[in-house]
Amino acid sequence: MENLMVVYCSCKVIWTLLVTILGYASSLPVGDDSICTAEELAKYSIIFTGKWSQTAFPKQYPLYRPPAQWSSMLGVTHSSDYSMWKKNEYASNGVRDFAEKGEAWVLMKEIEEAGEKIQSVHGIFSAPAISSGTGQTSTELEVHSRHPLVSFVVRIVPSPDWFVGIDSLNLCEGDHWMEEVAVDLFPYDAGTDSGFTFSSPNFATIPQDTVTEITCSSPSHPANSFYYPKLKILPPIAQVTMVKLKKNQLGLPAPYLNLPAKSNEIIDTVSETPLDCEVSQWSSWGLCRGLCRKTGTKIRTRFVLLQPANNGMPCPNLDEETGCEPENCV
């Protein structure tokens, strides 16, 4: 009888311990990519479409030296153990160099080192630059069931340290890969340069700030090239589309791509963004002109800082006249 009691107690202890262990295991955090049970590999066509037009973004739109354009795309497929960049976190040295100067060498080394140390990277992909603000570029990428996340960056040219991109987009949905996904892109500030405008000179941010999204009201400064206080939200400055390739499509040109033979320009379908006229402060009043002992006139002037566009508020009068008494009359 005592032996039976010992066995019963031992079983009870083991069962309690097992339940405790299983309960603890079930409470552990699960990564975004740990539940992917889709087929091991999938290939996608990735199509980047620039929508940075003078119609959609008329303020300080770069027309020359250099005109509005996009850098090459640099991206990676990876697991949740790796992060290329994240909003509200500090940019790495590689992302800083890419966002400020379009130099990819340091960022490539960072990606390669992450792949070697913790096997968090499956592959790197890139697409050619676009020589205008509106246009398309494309390439292919491969994801793995243990590396289903996609991240990339594209630099806004010219700009201090501004870019667009995606951070850790999961293309796996449980037991299958997504067939197609399209994402609107908005500008980000890498937090490493303090310029307000597209053509601002290099002025390092010390101490470095975190990566932040640029909106129509943030940074809240009239000099900001994306400052449109009358808008609720900026129109997308770009879009990216990823389409899963069937096996018979591998190696073929990207679908839905409609590029002219000699240019990457595409038809702008973005609604017009109105831009109000901006003028300077009034100058001081000029000398009073007129005959002695009679009312004379004096004038002050101002000048246009920003011409209106897309039916924005027109410019007010640039000079103003008022009566005065001539001085130094004999």
Side-chain angles (χ1 to χ4, degrees), residues 92-97 103-111:
S92 67
N93 290 336
V95 171
R96 178 199 63 203
D97 286 357
E103 296 177 358
W105 175 251
V106 176
L107 183 54
M108 289 280 288
K109 293 295 290 181
E110 290 174 353
I111 295 170

Side-chain angles (χ1 to χ4, degrees), residues 204-233:
T205 301
I206 301 175
Q208 181 177 333
D209 203 351
T210 57
V211 175
T212 56
E213 184 176 352
I214 301 172
T215 71
C216 55
S217 57
S218 179
S220 182
H221 194 292
N224 180 19
S225 292
F226 286 110
Y227 185 70
Y228 296 95
K230 290 189 175 181
L231 295 182
K232 291 183 178 179
I233 186 173

Side-chain angles (χ1 to χ4, degrees), residues 74-90:
L74 181 59
V76 60
T77 57
H78 59 95
S79 69
S80 58
D81 295 323
Y82 171 78
S83 175
M84 175 182 270
W85 65 275
K86 279 191 179 298
K87 182 179 177 179
N88 299 327
E89 294 189 6
Y90 293 105

Side-chain angles (χ1 to χ4, degrees), residues 16 67 80 89 132 147 163 167 195 206 216 220 226 247 318-319:
T16 303
S80 58
E89 294 189 6
S132 59
H147 305 85
F163 69 96
D167 166 37
I206 301 175
C216 55
S220 182
F226 286 110
K247 291 183 180 180
L318 299 179
D319 54 72

Side-chain angles (χ1 to χ4, degrees), residues 144-167:
H144 187 275
S145 56
R146 294 194 302 274
H147 305 85
L149 308 182
V150 176
S151 297
F152 72 82
V153 287
V154 179
R155 180 178 182 245
I156 298 173
V157 183
S159 75
D161 60 342
W162 301 341
F163 69 96
V164 297
I166 277 180
D167 166 37

Side-chain angles (χ1 to χ4, degrees), residues 34-94:
S34 62
I35 57 174
C36 182
T37 58
E39 59 181 330
E40 192 174 58
L41 294 174
K43 283 195 174 183
Y44 283 81
S45 165
I46 179 168
I47 306 151
F48 178 88
T49 303
K51 295 187 174 184
W52 184 19
S53 68
Q54 192 170 10
T55 302
F57 299 92
K59 187 173 184 180
Q60 302 166 359
Y61 188 79
L63 295 173
Y64 57 91
R65 295 190 303 181
Q69 56 191 276
W70 300 95
S71 76
S72 58
M73 172 193 290
L74 181 59
V76 60
T77 57
H78 59 95
S79 69
S80 58
D81 295 323
Y82 171 78
S83 175
M84 175 182 270
W85 65 275
K86 279 191 179 298
K87 182 179 177 179
N88 299 327
E89 294 189 6
Y90 293 105
S92 67
N93 290 336

Side-chain angles (χ1 to χ4, degrees), residues 237-259:
I237 196 171
Q239 185 184 65
V240 66
T241 304
M242 282 168 271
V243 182
K244 185 174 179 291
L245 297 177
K246 296 180 174 61
K247 291 183 180 180
N248 60 359
Q249 288 181 304
L250 300 182
L252 296 179
Y256 309 127
L257 212 58
N258 184 24
L259 304 182

